[in-house]
Amino acid sequence: MASCLREGHIVFHLPAAILLLLSVTASAAIPCDFPAIFNFGDSNSDTGGLSAAFGPAPPPNGETFFGRPSGRYSDGRLIIDFIAESLGLPYLSAYLNSIGTNFSHGANFATAGSTIRQQNTTLFQGGFSPFSLDVQTWQFTQFVSRSQFFYEQGGFFKDILPGEDRFSKALYTIDIGQNDITSGYFSGKTTEEVRADIPDILNKFTISMKSIYLLGGRYFWIHNTGPFGCLPYVLDRLMLRAPEVDHCGCGTPFNGVAQLFNSMLNETITELRKDLPLASLTYVDVYSVKYKLISQARNYGFEHPLKACCGHGGMYNYDAHVGCGAKTVVNGTEVVLGNSCMEPLKRVSWDGVHYTEAANKWVFNQISEGALKGVLKC
Ligand SMILES: *[C@@H]1O[C@H](CO)[C@@H](O)[C@H](O)[C@H]1NC(C)=O
Ligand SMILES: *[C@@H]1O[C@H](CO)[C@@H](O)[C@H](O)[C@H]1NC(C)=O
Ligand SMILES: *[C@@H]1O[C@H](CO)[C@@H](O)[C@H](O)[C@H]1NC(C)=O
Ligand SMILES: *[C@@H]1O[C@H](CO)[C@@H](O)[C@H](O)[C@H]1NC(C)=O
């Protein structure tokens, strides 16, 4: 695998776009004091949804920050956690969690493995969550009406549920789409076939944004999809099918599809601005930030950007059958096969699919420099 770190020119031809990360509608003024966050998405922002529905993410997930598994697929906090912190809000409770939740400042409808489009396979067959984006918006509909019914009863409910005005003042964060693309590949589609699915995927995305708007959503913060062609699970599982790599070792066809998805997502958001006149939609170019981190890892104090920290074997320390935290029993004794690495704070990929807390924090710092400080003027 070619290391891009030896090629000095990379530093110069990487997106100078960091300053141009955001395109925000000029129409609506964005306040800074969001009283709540409602999040929709996949594992990039799941704070406990899939764990609530299908059983807990195992240790060593959570080891760096929470000191225990927290329902996040990472050693610590996710970008959504850093967003919540920066707005002075508590970490989001997963809507699906029935224990220990507090929704007074928002709710999280994301689950790991979620797609925009409904899948035609179950979680047990294809590995993708049944809580696709449309289902997440149906849950949000239920959340709005049921929370208001109980909020009006007063007492304890006022302590753990949002008041009605919070829905129109909240920040709506969305990070989803990567699994729609990878599920196409995993089901055997070619790059051309996957590319051809993108318009339908984005039509479904549009429908979901409109339903959030009809329920009162006004401030949308939409992450584009990351360079998943640089992730160990894609390199390990799909490289034989499309072996071209760039100077960093990232799969070129996969990142090409991600970039096509992103430019069409950007266009879709431009259209939505016309259809949703009272909304403010921010398109956040997470792709460029993540690619910058992976391609210049050493410059930023990271190492082995294409290798999972927590995993088992192979070129990428990733094995689809032996995940992070996987155990086996040898002669009656439990042995952990999917162990964490020595220095997760220096690593980009946590488990081959998801980013480490250190990487999430770095990405958040990059996007917040242009956004929360600059554009939102907080
Ligand atoms: C599921 O099957 C239907 C009917 O064949 C098809 O239209 C749809 O695109 C499929 N969905 C996905 C995600 O492949
Ligand atoms: C829920 O969170 C709010 C805001 O942080 C806090 O005031 C309230 O005490 C919490 N309620 C419970 C039961 O934890
Ligand atoms: C998104 O599209 C707008 C045009 O509508 C363009 O000005 C902007 O540069 C695009 N953003 C990115 C990050 O590509
Ligand atoms: C399991 O126990 C058997 C019998 O004591 C021994 O021969 C074998 O080496 C052990 N296997 C491992 C992996 O420790």
Side-chain angles (χ1 to χ4, degrees), residues 32 221 364-365 367-378:
C32 296
W221 178 267
F364 169 77
N365 285 339
I367 59 180
S368 70
E369 246 157 59
L372 296 176
K373 288 197 194 94
V375 180
L376 301 188
K377 296 195 181 64
C378 290

Side-chain angles (χ1 to χ4, degrees), residues 20-21 23 266 270 283 285:
L20 305 168
L21 283 175
S23 53
N266 191 11
T270 302
Y283 170 76
D285 185 8

